[in-house]
Amino acid sequence: MTNMSRKQLYLYFAWLVSVIATLGSLYFSEILHYIPCELCWYQRIIMYPLALILGIATFTNDINVKKYVLPLSLIGWCISLFHYLEQKVPGFAKLKACADGVPCDAAYINWLGFITIPFLALIAFTLISIFMIMLRKK
């Protein structure tokens, strides 16, 4: 496998992860009717454009998109980590209380005792970041 085709594959996988994350969040809110909290909205604000940006970059083979995608992905990663810690670590829940609507420390899902919606977003942002780092030039 050539270096260029490997980079195209990384770009494609990053796009695939962003699309799955976007569709997953829409499934939770539109099909299961889970109301997103404030931090969930911030994660969506970052993830949804990533699906579009990475989709365009994938089909135009624009590997230089990493300089736009990686900062967004890392910001989303930080928000997801904070949100996950807010759900799972009691001391973090007191740092920022959501003003209106659903509290950010509420967990709609809790699969295997640790997989929550912010955890799924954290995994998606992690994978996208890893794929963008792997696009670096050699």
Side-chain angles (χ1 to χ4, degrees), residues 107-126:
Y108 283 116
I109 65 169
N110 195 14
W111 300 329
L112 302 175
F114 71 96
I115 299 173
T116 63
I117 294 173
F119 181 80
L120 295 172
L122 182 66
I123 295 301
F125 284 122
T126 300

Side-chain angles (χ1 to χ4, degrees), residues 55-97:
I56 293 169
T58 298
F59 290 105
T60 60
N61 292 323
D62 183 11
I63 294 171
N64 293 322
V65 75
K66 68 179 176 258
K67 60 185 164 188
Y68 307 112
V69 171
L70 187 58
L72 284 174
S73 183
L74 292 175
I75 292 168
W77 185 88
C78 291
I79 295 169
S80 296
L81 178 65
F82 178 76
H83 193 184
Y84 184 67
L85 290 174
E86 196 172 73
Q87 284 184 336
K88 293 298 182 182
V89 178
F92 274 87
K94 297 176 185 172
L95 290 179
K96 184 199 176 303

